[in-house]
Amino acid sequence: MAIALERSAVVPQRAKRHRIWRGLGDALTYLGLATALVFFLGPFFWILTTSLKGNEDFFAFPPVWIPAEPSLKHYVGLFTRSSGARYFTNSMVISTLSMISALVVSLPTAYSIARWRFGGGLLSIFLLVLRMLPAIALIIPIYIVYRTLGITNNYLGLVVVYTVLYIPFAVWLLVGFLRDFPLEIEEAAMIDGCSRLRALAQVIVPIIAPGMAVVALFSFIATWNEFLFAIVLTGIETKTMMVLVTSFTSGGTDMFYGEASASVVLGVLPAFAVAFMLQRYLVKGLALGGTKG
Amino acid sequence: MKRFWSATSVAFLLGGLVMLGWLALPGPARSARPYEGTTLRTVVNAEFVKYSLSLVEGDLYDKLGIKLEIEVIPGDAFVAKTLLEFNSGQSPWDLVMFGPSNMPDYGRHFEPLDPWIQKLKLDFGMDDIVPVFAKVMLRHQGKLVSMPYDGDIHIMYWNKVAFDRPENKQKFKAKYKYDLQPPKTWRQWDDAAEFFHGWGWDGTQAKLFGAGASYKPSGSGYSYHWWRPRFFSYGGQYFDANMKPLINTAAGLRALEEMVKTMPYYPPGVLLFESEEPKTMLVKGEVPLLYSWTSTGKRVGNATESVIVGKAGFGLVPGADIDGKIVNRPDITPGRAFGVSKYSKKIEATMKALEFISLPEQSLKIVMDAKTIMDPWRVSHLKSEKFRKLFPDADKYLDAIQASFPYLVPDPVIPAADEYQRKLSFEITEALAKRKSPKEALDSAAREWDKITERRGPEKQKAAWAEKSAEMKSLGIEYHADWAAKAK
Amino acid sequence: MRIPALALKRKQWEPFAFASPAMVLIAFVIVFPLAYSFYLSFQNFDLSVGPEHEFVGLKNYTEGIFRDPRFLGSVWNTAVIIAPSLVLELLLGLGIAMLLSRVLHGRPIITALLAIPAMVSPVMAAMAWRMMFGVKYGAINNLGRQLGILDVYFDWFSSPFISIVAVVLVEVWHNTPFMMLVLLAGLQSIPQELYEAARVDGANPWQRFWSITLPLLKFTMVVGVMIRLIDLTKLFGLIFVLTYGGPGGSTETVAFTTYLAGFKDFRMSYAAALSYVIVGGVLILTLLFFWMQRVREARAA
């Protein structure tokens, strides 16, 4: 930048032209981004307003872009008639538990890989194959195992599956964070008499906490979004939000239009929350591996 | 020994006293809510079915003390998930909803009703069940295992605004050389669809459509239900005696070719319409003509959404004119029934609950509600004065249902019935989407059918089909190779 | 520089002990079920027949590869959906990432907002778009009508071609943000000095893009495309909600056909066999991709 300024001082005419181009470029940049924002956020806007409309507004023409009298009755309907509260709570509980357990299980593994190169290149191959595998190849055998153990329709069952599905990605991210961690600090702690596990828990964890938060939030979202396992491995007490949404997709869609859109709004809330919380880490984290388990 | 006897007699004495005390209690207190504290787990396939049960849950608790805990498994995964549970030899549910065309898949997991009818003196009002439903919905290998919940058949609906408007009548007569009237045959149906498509037949400037249909290749296959009544009225049948598919015969081809040809007269989106979309268009006055499930009538009569209350006609699904006689072959579509899981630990209470929700007056509440999509299945439902006055012309609507009963064609309920139907449905939509010619599509469906038969054991399938085709013959349905050519 | 030996020194068992919880869980939830479903793929397990099943050899595999026109058709459909999606996601993702890298104020918040679609589940994305596409009451047709460019009755699923366009549109909406983030990370890792040096040499923006950005971003692009390619072969939730494979079978993907075989035809063994056919195909595709990459690099060197 300094060089550019110096040069523009020498050749003022060129600098002026440069500035015009630059201004135009900025304008186009923001215009382009604004267009992108409209495209990528438009559907959310439509769903939100639909969920707040009265039944008579769905089919109105010209369309009701913003309801004059927003009403929450579809949300009320969702929570009273369709046990929306139960589904929402289930999703929350399962996602939170999976998030915690994914972290707890992945951290030592990542440590083992980062410090001692445990497993060599196996991790990346495993990661690749796991990513290729359609869920349907796993679902029936897992179901059969679970049936034998009696943990279908149980938080534990889903939490275990989600934890495992998320381990490779979590480990991959955590290895990155741990490799950057200065060995000297860890050694100092161990010289002071810390065991390795305590050094991990009390010295390393607090320092890489922001990185762990990134891993945790991505895991939360990935779990929240999953639905095929959620249909097969759950029962009446453990159904999740995604299952509720798909139960609106056929048959009575027309009659429960408002409630269907309300359920979508609730279903995408965590994505918004996580995106805002992770603003600065998105590029670093999501770029490494994606959120779709 | 002595001690044993004295202990026994004391026990008997005490027992007798307790019994006496129990008998001495005032009657009502004892018989009220005999199953107090029992919660039955129920599984259904959609939110609106759960809603329908809520209409009887209150009484069920008041009378029997039974509460229902209802699980909704989204329709698409419903059968696979419930079969997975059943096949593991246990089931988390007591009362199970299912589609009767899946009877061969489910039947062996249900508790036969007859022993319990004797034991508990249950009364399912068997004589009050519409005979054709009793025939095709309830039995597995000869044993009674379920009760109907939703008696799905197809009837025809039309908008009188379109058919009674003098200008329309004139224009139609000029173009087609016969009088405009609610169609009796497929040719009349197709003419009407062509005639009404694309203009404001209600006298407005609106762009309206020719007729409604559901062509989505979903569930057990919607498009199939729009091909089948044509196919059967043209003399079709599923298989011959040797399990050779008859779907790609002249009858099948003619039916599919007509559907493909008339595609332009159906509303945009029809290729992915499920059951509800065309009904909405009918009640909003956008299509003049639709044949669909009987529940449509309740939406037609529901003034909060319908603009054609009192302006709708109800009748038989069109047929074919064979030698001057019209042959109608409307569908019995899957419908819904309830069975009692034989793995349940509360079979007795579940039997009582099943009896209760099937009682004429309880089931009437369900089939009368405009939001349930559940359809009448008892003779008394159709005769109910309350139902017949529910909305203008409700009596004509119920009569149209009644009039359809003698002609109904059931699903091919043999093992893998669902798969046969879905494979055919898929090929029909392939032809409708113009990815295959009707001939290619039906030939390919026939090949798929052969593959299924071969996989499931030709002999086994043949035996099951022999039984089923005899049953269909008793309903008057047989293969007629010559009808397709002479049908008018 | 002193190597901190103590932190690296380990007892023999320690690496295993640290990794063991994850390993046990993976064995339990992935390795064992995989082995079991591999075993099942040689059986004839059918839910509607019952829990019993027997060995049928390679029958499921030969049926899938040679005798099932619908599955083979779905391979073609998947390719038809994947190709334009990948190209559009790459181009759009690159474009937006480059715009974002020019922005000085509020970049994190704009990035976050643009990233949201990628964090929503496919089912949700498809539900939202179903309401966007709806005939008569969908947002797109209504907007089109108000702008006078679209009939309100325009049917986004009227023909195989237009349905594929619609599916690709939703897929691009859903996953371009992911590509954008990957490429933005790549862009940020390019040293600014290179651009300044090029500017000193009088290179115009276009030349800078071709000679600096693109070559240095190539690896990131390859990784991004690879990940999307693998994910797209599993395209399911979107199709499930948006088109259910229709009209006809024009949008039936391999993952969807496999789902139908397992969950609608109840042929669990056949579905398992199909999944392994898919995994095999994707594996071959990936290896081919890497091999081509290597050949090209070797030639360039």
Side-chain angles (χ1 to χ4, degrees), chain A residues 99 103 166 170 173-174 177 210-220:
Chain A
M99 172 180 94
L103 268 188
Y166 199 69
L173 280 181
L174 287 171
F177 293 124
M212 288 177 64
V214 175
V215 178
L217 288 173
F218 278 139
S219 125
F220 185 92

Side-chain angles (χ1 to χ4, degrees), chain B residues 203-379:
Chain B
T204 64
Q205 293 301 309
K207 187 180 146 191
L208 302 170
F209 309 102
S214 307
Y215 288 159
K216 188 173 180 173
S218 177
S220 32
Y222 289 101
S223 60
Y224 169 77
H225 294 301
W226 267 259
W227 173 84
R228 205 170 85 183
R230 282 189 199 244
F231 171 62
F232 274 94
S233 57
Y234 293 152
Q237 173 59 298
Y238 299 115
F239 301 98
D240 71 4
N242 291 312
M243 279 307 276
K244 190 175 150 336
L246 296 172
I247 47 175
N248 54 347
T249 54
L253 200 60
R254 176 165 175 185
L256 189 52
E257 275 168 354
E258 286 172 359
M259 282 168 75
V260 172
K261 214 176 95 195
T262 55
M263 261 296 286
Y265 315 136
Y266 290 80
V270 68
L271 278 172
L272 295 185
F273 275 3
E274 293 182 21
S275 61
E276 299 312 300
E277 289 92 340
K279 295 184 192 173
T280 306
M281 301 195 86
L282 177 80
V283 302
K284 296 285 176 208
E286 292 177 298
V287 293
L289 206 51
L290 171 70
Y291 68 86
S292 177
W293 286 266
T294 30
S295 58
T296 313
K298 293 185 290 182
R299 290 189 64 183
V300 166
N302 177 6
T304 57
E305 61 161 344
S306 173
V307 301
I308 58 167
V309 183
K311 294 182 210 158
F314 310 93
L316 273 173
V317 175
D321 183 340
I322 310 288
D323 301 330
K325 192 173 162 286
I326 289 178
V327 178
N328 297 88
R329 288 283 182 256
D331 274 12
I332 297 187
T333 56
R336 287 182 180 79
F338 270 104
V340 177
S341 163
K342 79 174 182 202
Y343 315 109
S344 163
K345 293 187 178 65
K346 302 168 188 164
I347 291 184
E348 184 182 321
T350 315
M351 287 287 170
K352 289 296 264 188
L354 181 61
E355 181 199 28
F356 189 83
I357 61 173
S358 308
L359 287 174
E361 65 275 16
Q362 294 298 333
S363 50
L364 181 65
K365 280 195 278 186
I366 293 169
V367 300
M368 263 178 62
D369 188 281
K371 277 183 94 171
T372 62
I373 330 193
M374 303 305 154
D375 298 324
W377 53 273
R378 280 190 182 281
V379 179

Side-chain angles (χ1 to χ4, degrees), chain A residues 191-207:
Chain A
I191 288 171
D192 287 350
C194 262
S195 76
R196 194 177 289 278
L197 215 55
R198 258 186 73 187
L200 181 61
Q202 295 186 342
V203 181
I204 301 181
V205 167
I207 296 176

